[in-house]
Amino acid sequence: MTTTPVSRLAVRRTSSLAVTPAVAGHRGASGHRPEHTLEAYRHAIALGADEIELDLVSTADGVLVARHESELSVTTDVADRPELAHRRSTRVVDGRAVEGWFVEDLTLDEVRLLRARERWPALRAGSAAYDGVLGVPTFDEVLTMLAEESARHGRSVGVLVELKDPANSASLGLDLAEPLLDDLRHHRRDHSRSRVSVMSFEPTVLRSLAGRTRVPLIQLVERLDERPADWAMTGDPRTFADLVTPAGLALVERYADGIGARHSLVAHDAGDRVLPTRLVRDAHREWLSVHVWTLRAEDRFLPAAFRGGDGPAGHGDLRGYAALLLEMGVDGLITDQPELCLAARDLLEV
């Protein structure tokens, strides 16, 4: 596979705020192992990731566990557990009815019965080979693992923590922020040099945390026509587009240290070329760092100029695309295949 020349696609190089932009394993090395498992996190670290990224949801008894969404049937074997059949229910999620098993209905003991599964087995057969083997970790267990792996590899490994749907959880009587802070204090990681950052799509929880923790906070940004869920619940008409204007970024800077943007908000896919938007430069003017997500090697997730032409499951030139994003000045890459993004960073540092 050939690497797309960065110079042909980038307009001009923009400086990062970071001396060395970070590479984070998205849900671990989720291109290689079932996501949000201790094995996926360990594999990302072994591949050289500077950080791991994880999402936190709450069990019915208030314990934070690592899952991307509260419905469990896509990434675990919950549907095959007859002892949990009675927990199946229907919820309205993002305006549509979803039937399944929801983590907020299960106790931690019940969650511990589950085994992880690959989200996209047709795309990632190698990862799917681990189906049924790995459990669902708590945040406490992840922090313990990070300390162990940092000692094993002789370097401090960071963690980007996303609080999933905190407003909805609060409506169910489940607070995400206080258990998060409790776990950070227990592991002595509630300080500015702890290598922990907390992220959310919802400004409300980040504003609340700004006065309660010393770890950096990151405002996540989705598709621009969508609304943060907390604003939608209160009838606020603003969208993510309002957060990425110069005025919006100035507002974000009052409570957060950076933004985490979908990569297409930084790099516009123009077909034969990929062009930078203003977002990185506008964010850097407010001294906000910029992490981009989620970088994946499969063609279906890459801009047209970086696809390999072998169909959706084929791998394109993720290394070249990551190098382009680094040329555009991003401060962190959140990726399912950290080894490819690390190779891109190493290439630019030569």
Side-chain angles (χ1 to χ4, degrees):
M1 178 180 65
T2 59
T3 299
T4 308
V6 174
S7 60
R8 184 171 66 82
L9 298 171
V11 175
R12 60 176 178 271
R13 185 162 187 169
T14 300
S15 296
S16 169
L17 294 181
V19 175
T20 303
V23 173
H26 180 244
R27 310 176 198 170
S30 54
H32 306 283
R33 302 289 190 273
E35 66 184 55
H36 286 323
T37 58
L38 291 179
E39 175 60 24
Y41 303 141
R42 290 190 183 104
H43 194 58
I45 295 166
L47 290 172
D50 306 297
E51 304 168 329
I52 61 168
E53 183 272 346
L54 70 151
D55 309 293
L56 294 180
V57 295
S58 178
T59 64
D61 44 352
V63 179
L64 297 180
V65 297
R67 289 290 94 188
H68 177 257
E69 59 268 310
S70 63
E71 204 286 305
L72 296 167
S73 64
V74 175
T75 60
T76 77
D77 63 355
V78 64
D80 298 333
R81 298 284 174 175
E83 63 270 45
L84 298 177
H86 65 293
R87 297 292 194 185
R88 187 181 179 95
S89 63
T90 300
R91 294 272 171 82
V92 176
V93 179
D94 296 331
R96 62 186 182 90
V98 176
E99 187 174 4
W101 289 260
F102 297 87
V103 68
E104 60 265 24
D105 294 333
L106 276 61
T107 66
L108 177 61
D109 286 344
E110 291 171 323
V111 170
R112 288 199 186 281
L113 298 173
L114 306 179
R115 290 296 174 265
R117 286 181 173 172
E118 168 55 43
R119 178 181 295 271
W120 296 307
L123 287 181
R124 296 174 173 176
S127 176
Y130 292 84
D131 284 3
V133 177
L134 309 168
V136 175
T138 66
F139 185 42
D140 177 72
E141 290 167 343
V142 174
L143 291 175
T144 297
M145 178 276 300
L146 278 174
E148 294 170 350
E149 293 300 303
S150 293
R152 185 194 314 275
H153 291 277
R155 59 189 177 88
S156 176
V157 180
V159 58
L160 303 173
V161 182
E162 181 187 346
L163 298 179
K164 297 298 293 188
D165 303 315
N168 182 66
S169 294
S171 73
L172 301 172
L174 295 169
D175 179 32
L176 300 186
E178 199 56 47
L180 168 85
L181 296 176
D182 286 344
D183 281 340
L184 291 179
R185 293 182 193 114
H186 176 71
H187 288 267
R188 299 182 179 179
R189 300 194 73 157
D190 186 16
H191 57 86
S192 60
R193 301 184 66 183
S194 67
R195 301 294 312 282
V196 175
S197 296
V198 176
M199 312 186 294
S200 180
F201 287 103
E202 300 182 16
T204 303
V205 71
L206 294 176
R207 285 177 172 275
S208 170
L209 285 169
R212 301 163 63 193
T213 183
R214 292 173 288 172
V215 303
L217 304 176
I218 296 175
Q219 173 68 60
L220 296 173
V221 183
E222 250 286 8
R223 293 182 175 90
L224 298 185
D225 60 343
E226 295 184 1
R227 288 191 288 171
D230 54 336
W231 287 359
M233 288 177 70
T234 60
D236 191 320
R238 289 177 294 173
T239 68
F240 286 109
D242 294 293
L243 286 174
V244 298
T245 65
L249 292 167
L251 175 67
V252 170
E253 191 275 334
R254 296 179 188 175
Y255 62 84
D257 304 276
I259 63 169
R262 180 182 288 274
H263 63 87
S264 58
L265 299 180
V266 166
H268 172 64
D269 184 358
D272 63 331
R273 294 186 300 162
V274 178
L275 303 174
T277 69
R278 294 180 46 182
L279 183 54
V280 171
R281 278 182 287 175
D282 286 348
H284 284 177
R285 287 192 184 101
E286 296 295 337
W287 295 101
L288 292 167
S289 65
V290 180
H291 285 71
V292 290
W293 53 270
T294 301
L295 304 184
R296 297 178 169 117
E298 292 85 1
D299 268 0
R300 62 179 288 189
F301 303 115
L302 288 167
F306 291 91
R307 293 173 192 155
D310 295 325
H315 282 204
D317 183 15
L318 174 58
R319 188 177 74 167
Y321 184 44
L324 173 62
L325 290 164
L326 292 170
E327 289 273 9
M328 291 179 179
V330 303
D331 307 290
L333 304 171
I334 302 175
T335 175
D336 288 4
Q337 288 94 359
E339 73 283 6
L340 296 177
C341 291
L342 287 163
R345 187 181 70 187
D346 292 344
L347 180 67
L348 291 180
E349 289 179 347
V350 172

